Amino acid sequence: MLKILVLGSAAGGGYPQWNCNCETCSGVRTGRIQSIPRTQSSIAVSSDGLNWLLVNASPDIGQQLREQPLLQPARSLRDTGITAVMLMDSQIDHTTGLLSLREHNTRLPLYCTQMVHNDLTSGFPVLNMLEHYCGVDWHKIEIDESWFTVPGIEGLEFKPLVIDSKAPPYSPHRHDPHPGDNIAITIRDSGTGKSVFYSPGLGGLQQKTRDVMHSVDCLLVDGTTWTNDEMQTRGVGSKLASEMGHLAQSGPGGMIEEIKDLSCRKILIHINNTNPILDPNSQQAKTLAAEDIEIAEDGMQIDL
Ligand code: MLT
Ligand code: MN
Ligand code: ZN
């Protein structure tokens, strides 16, 4: 069985964000809206329920692991259920959790592309830093989009997809995109054939992306913003979602239009704290429910 644990369902900053008093952040903080807080973007996947692949390492990983007993099986004095780590990109919200894994008692197996490895040894040299602690064993994810396996994560197969999104603001090539800056991943149980497509940062859909999304049993896809200009209309920033590598949900060509007719399970993840869907009583949340599109929550478990 393909088991997916949602460790963090919010975008960078989390929900509520520490310094934000936008409608949703202040609403959840004061209890004005019936909404639940969320930590920053990460999932874990397993087939046997014992050996887990951590996909993205959130700055909130300490809290996420404390709240997820499945990832702390306590088989020995120093132990973890995390067998390996895989990264979709080198964004801060997906990589800073690596620093919190430094006590790992062997070198940490790490799967990412060449471009992500470049960022993590230059603009944000966390992998160099970790050499003074546990160190990592880097396994390059090739961008040829073929299936591969991860030793220790038995029964699951992985297929990367090069997608349109953005390298992080700190990256030396933020404005000079390269294939492999961002990937999405299809995860398939080799026994049952069931699969999930995970893409927390999806700037736009090429036909090959649509083809993959039409072939899986579950989508866990970019739910960052409702509108492209949400940061502006909420008064918290000037960047468009598209400038940050995210496809907004509403409107022509938006994520809802892209996925609403698919018969698989459809879940939005990596939700920015400004997104009105965080309020379950909002019109926007009701629109999603009417289209059978779910909103991820921390702690959510999906068994396929
Ligand atoms: C993003 O998804 O655009 C980034 O994670 C934002 C951030 O971390 O600042
Ligand atoms: Mn992010
Ligand atoms: Zn906010």
Side-chain angles (χ1 to χ4, degrees), residues 20 22 25 273:
C20 190
C22 75
C25 284
N273 60 75

Side-chain angles (χ1 to χ4, degrees), residues 26 44 69 80 130 212 270 281:
S26 67
T80 175
L130 283 174
V212 175
H270 190 278
N281 293 316

Side-chain angles (χ1 to χ4, degrees), residues 16-282:
Q17 180 173 310
W18 66 283
N19 63 346
C20 190
N21 294 300
C22 75
E23 208 164 311
T24 28
C25 284
S26 67
V28 69
R29 208 178 274 120
T30 61
R32 189 180 69 246
I33 60 172
Q34 299 256 298
S35 178
I36 48 166
R38 287 166 166 85
T39 62
Q40 293 168 79
S41 194
S42 173
I43 64 168
V45 295
S46 175
S47 170
D48 59 14
L50 281 174
N51 296 286
W52 294 86
L53 175 73
L54 182 73
V55 189
N56 293 327
S58 163
D60 300 322
I61 193 167
Q63 179 183 343
Q64 294 169 351
L65 297 184
R66 263 174 242 120
E67 288 173 9
Q68 190 46 260
L70 281 172
L71 294 178
Q72 181 43 276
R75 295 160 294 194
S76 58
L77 186 58
R78 289 279 167 101
D79 189 30
T80 175
I82 298 172
T83 302
V85 182
M86 185 181 289
L87 304 174
M88 298 294 96
D89 54 50
S90 53
Q91 294 274 1
I92 296 234
D93 58 344
H94 289 159
T95 57
T96 39
L98 289 170
L99 289 169
S100 300
L101 300 179
R102 67 191 176 284
E103 296 95 354
H104 197 259
N105 48 18
T106 57
R107 293 179 75 80
L108 188 64
L110 180 75
Y111 291 74
C112 67
T113 63
Q114 179 74 58
M115 294 317 295
V116 169
H117 189 269
N118 289 357
D119 281 344
L120 299 182
T121 49
S122 62
F124 173 35
V126 59
L127 302 187
N128 306 356
M129 292 164 69
L130 283 174
E131 281 307 311
H132 301 279
Y133 301 87
C134 61
V136 304
D137 266 339
W138 176 43
H139 301 260
K140 180 156 69 166
I141 298 181
E142 299 292 351
I143 52 171
D144 62 359
E145 305 183 344
S146 55
W147 289 99
F148 64 95
T149 55
V150 172
I153 306 292
E154 303 312 322
L156 297 185
E157 302 166 303
F158 303 87
K159 187 177 179 175
L161 184 72
V162 172
I163 51 164
D164 296 333
S165 193
K166 278 276 191 302
Y170 74 77
S171 171
H173 59 277
R174 166 77 165 175
H175 301 293
D176 174 23
H178 289 65
D181 285 337
N182 306 82
I183 59 167
I185 196 91
T186 305
I187 305 164
R188 182 171 72 187
D189 185 301
S190 43
T192 64
K194 296 281 185 190
S195 59
V196 62
F197 177 73
Y198 176 58
S199 184
L202 189 52
L205 276 65
Q206 305 168 30
Q207 191 51 46
K208 64 171 186 176
T209 312
R210 289 196 186 96
D211 291 344
V212 175
M213 288 168 70
H214 281 70
S215 73
V216 295
D217 300 284
C218 181
L219 295 174
L220 272 176
V221 291
D222 193 332
T224 309
T225 68
W226 183 255
T227 55
N228 195 34
D229 63 357
E230 186 168 298
M231 303 292 279
Q232 296 166 7
T233 55
R234 290 283 190 156
V236 297
S238 55
K239 283 188 199 160
L240 296 172
S242 53
E243 288 167 351
M244 297 185 288
H246 299 293
L247 176 66
Q249 277 121 59
S250 61
M255 188 63 85
I256 297 173
E257 197 176 275
E258 288 283 355
I259 66 176
K260 69 185 170 71
D261 294 328
L262 300 182
S263 56
C264 66
R265 192 164 171 193
K266 305 173 281 282
I267 308 171
L268 298 178
I269 197 161
H270 190 278
I271 302 152
N272 199 55
N273 60 75
T274 50
N275 193 327
I277 65 173
L278 289 164
D279 176 358
N281 293 316
S282 64

